[in-house]
Amino acid sequence: MTSDETSDLTVLYRIAALATRASDATVAQNEILAAIMAAFPADSGSLALLSAESGRLEIYAKQGLPSEIGEFALRPGQGVTGWVALHGKAFLVANVAAEPRYISARQGVRCEMAAPLIVEGRTIGVINLDADRVAAFDQAALQRLARYAEEAGSVLHRLWQLERLRANSTQLTTLVELGHALVTQLAPEELLSTLTHSGRALFNAKLCLLHDYDNTRRELRLHAWSTAGDAATAELSLHQQTVPADSSLLASVIRSGKSTEFQNINDPGFSEAADLPNDRTLCSALAAPIILEGVPSGVLSVFYDTPHRFSNNEKRLFAALASFAAVSLQNARLYARVFHSEEVLRKNETLTTLGMLAAEIAHEIRNPLLVIKLLHGTLGVDFSAEDPRLRDLQVITEKIEQLEEIVSRVLSFGRTPNAMHSRWSLAEILDDTLVLLRAKLAQANVQLHFTPPTRPLLVDANKGQLQQVFLNLAINALQAMPHGGEITISLTDEKTTIGRSVHVDFTDTGGGIPEAIQPRIFESFLSGRADGTGLGLAIAKRIMKDHHGELTLANTGPRGTTMRVTLPLIS
């Protein structure tokens, strides 16, 4: 092997090793140029790549060239370097003075050669070497440069692929973390703040905005944003403003229902857009609609302070992020409805409590009232018509009858009319109840286990009252596990002497009910919590009695408690 061949292999090895040794493609570009220049009598050199944004050859690495050459860019076909990029062939100019296509980048250059960087049959850039004497390079040198350039193109391609894989991995990780955050966060403001912050970080943008869209009023309202750098300037212009959709930059996104990119928002054509941030450093933007139930509900957008041409992958990823936003907002709305339903149910429970309490009071009043009425009727007092006590006696009689009527009405109102009972699937009632608990379960870090029965279990019941019983038992179980745990709901049916019945067991993994109050847990106004009313289990017990069923404490201990609801089944 000759010394030239050995030198050739050494250079190729140095370039190839960069595929695994270089930290990124930028570092590799400078080391590739240094290795190649060292193999030739070159006085200056450059590595230029075709820019996807401008379509021009832009210098990414240089040696021996003036510092201002960094702004030097050539179109394919322009100059010697541009000719090589256009035709994909190495080219040697022994004497630049005789070459009309030559464009000077440095004074004193007399000889130039260039070779293309080709990846998968496509030219991606050019390596160019200059010398200060005529005929410093020959055809053999040009062939060696072409081999080095071929290896350099392969190395850069592998490094770019690795960088893309790393970027995709980072994006995927961010999306997974974002998805988890959006599932666990229920407050709409927290959701939107997380979304805009993650969107800006995911796309390495300067600004990320989220606008609400009112289809009836055709207005866009800035709802949330995340900005990089100095946020003070942005705060002045990013107040929660509302603008007509017709005079907004994002109107086209609403109309098309598709992601839209804006290459230069500083163009005079966008000057009238009322929703543009008041920041003249921003120049490129990408926006995607947020679609809820098939209707545009908002727009998500990112802004860059440098010219940016968005790839198809970026557009698809941003559309996916907008879909995340839609799902998150939909979940937030559903959770809001669940909380509202729970609040309504709580108010109904309060009214039921008051009704039950009134019934208890009326029941206690009725017995002494009956005694008073009987004793009053047997007094046998006979007053003359002129005696004023006769009138007093008549008033007492009327008031006793009035009190008896009030007590009867209260007792009648406190009973559940049989007409409100109907045939229900027990599993359906439980399912509807558990929907109201999902948000609380997630917040309390409690896992729910419920397996519906394999066959229908039908009961004759007032659905709302049974839901109140089940909800009360489940909430009691939640409050018994302040640090999280598990609730298991199980259904078992059995045959008794009077027919078939079903047991619904609510089992938690809390610390159990204190032994001192176990015998009295169904008494009114007995509560183990400072904020409790002590009426929940008492009312639930009475509801079960009205349903010809039973509520019992099946077992309790340091490992948990099981409350059992027993109901007769409809055969």
Side-chain angles (χ1 to χ4, degrees), residues 331-521:
N331 286 344
R333 292 181 182 183
L334 290 175
Y335 276 121
R337 293 177 191 173
V338 168
F339 285 131
H340 176 71
S341 299
E342 183 183 350
E343 183 181 356
V344 171
L345 196 59
R346 278 294 189 186
K347 289 181 179 179
N348 291 341
E349 181 181 0
T350 302
L351 294 175
T352 302
T353 301
L354 291 174
M356 293 291 186
L357 185 60
E360 284 190 12
I361 295 172
H363 183 270
E364 296 301 320
I365 291 175
R366 183 175 61 175
N367 289 336
L369 185 62
L370 180 61
V371 173
I372 293 172
K373 181 178 180 181
L374 292 174
L375 292 176
H376 171 266
T378 58
L379 286 177
V381 180
D382 188 13
F383 299 108
S384 64
E386 292 80 13
D387 194 329
R389 288 176 295 176
L390 178 62
R391 178 57 185 163
D392 292 342
L393 188 62
Q394 291 173 345
V395 172
I396 292 172
T397 302
E398 290 175 3
K399 295 306 176 184
I400 289 175
E401 291 175 350
Q402 185 178 357
L403 284 173
E404 187 177 32
E405 182 181 349
I406 291 172
V407 168
S408 297
R409 284 206 308 269
V410 171
L411 289 173
S412 176
F413 182 78
R415 298 190 188 97
T416 302
N418 290 333
M420 296 183 68
H421 285 232
S422 56
R423 181 186 298 254
W424 288 98
S425 165
L426 191 58
E428 181 181 344
I429 296 177
L430 279 167
D431 282 336
D432 290 348
T433 305
L434 297 180
V435 167
L436 302 175
L437 286 167
R438 285 175 183 166
K440 278 190 173 294
L441 290 168
Q443 290 176 334
N445 193 28
V446 170
Q447 300 293 321
L448 178 69
H449 306 287
F450 170 57
T451 303
T454 55
R455 65 184 186 86
L457 298 175
L458 302 178
V459 294
D460 182 43
N462 180 308
K463 180 182 178 181
Q465 289 193 341
L466 273 192
Q467 276 190 311
Q468 182 179 333
V469 172
F470 295 151
L471 189 64
N472 184 276
L473 295 178
I475 290 177
N476 284 349
L478 278 172
Q479 291 166 341
M481 300 178 291
H483 304 297
E486 297 181 4
I487 296 177
T488 303
I489 302 175
S490 57
L491 278 68
T492 56
D493 60 309
E494 64 177 10
K495 189 174 183 180
T496 64
T497 55
I498 58 173
R500 299 192 67 83
S501 62
V502 60
H503 300 303
V504 185
D505 290 342
F506 285 74
T507 303
D508 63 58
T509 57
I513 299 173
E515 187 175 353
I517 66 171
Q518 287 179 20
R520 300 184 292 120
I521 60 171

Side-chain angles (χ1 to χ4, degrees), residues 211-220 253-258 288-300 322-323 325-327 329-330 333:
H211 285 80
D212 294 328
Y213 176 62
D214 188 327
N215 190 42
T216 303
R217 297 183 178 181
R218 290 188 52 76
E219 290 180 340
L220 282 163
V253 182
I254 295 292
R255 287 193 297 267
S256 67
K258 297 179 181 179
I290 299 173
I291 308 295
L292 282 179
E293 299 177 354
V295 178
S297 181
V299 178
L300 186 68
S323 298
V327 172
L329 291 175
Q330 182 75 340
R333 292 181 182 183

